[in-house]
Amino acid sequence: MALRQAANSIGNQKDHELTPFFKRIAFKKGRIAAITATARKLAVIIWNMVTKAEPYRKNEIKENNEKSRRIGLRQVEKRIQALKLNQSEL
């Protein structure tokens, strides 16, 4: 229950590292699914920190967010090419 509340608060924040992840899931599958997915992600992060004695790696989350942004841009470029649109038509 605490992880779900934490995930919900992450969804309400603007500058948290997991907010882009939350918003991406919420857009695709809805807020409830985003809360569940973010809570699970938090649980995995905590589990790895406790069991493997690993520190929290903030940079890894930022890298994943950047990677998903690049993938999204690549998909948009492919759709533009598939529709055979040029710069003036955009």
Side-chain angles (χ1 to χ4, degrees), residues 39-69:
R40 184 183 185 286
K41 190 174 201 80
L42 286 172
V44 169
I45 289 169
I46 293 168
W47 173 259
N48 285 327
M49 287 175 66
V50 171
T51 59
K52 299 177 184 177
E54 292 181 356
Y56 178 64
R57 292 187 302 244
K58 190 182 221 180
N59 293 337
E60 186 174 304
I61 292 173
K62 289 181 180 180
E63 289 170 6
N64 288 341
N65 291 339
E66 180 63 25
K67 180 180 173 185
S68 65
R69 188 183 74 77

Side-chain angles (χ1 to χ4, degrees), residues 28 54 64 72 75 81 86:
K28 291 179 183 177
E54 292 181 356
N64 288 341
Q75 289 174 347
Q81 289 175 355
N86 60 27

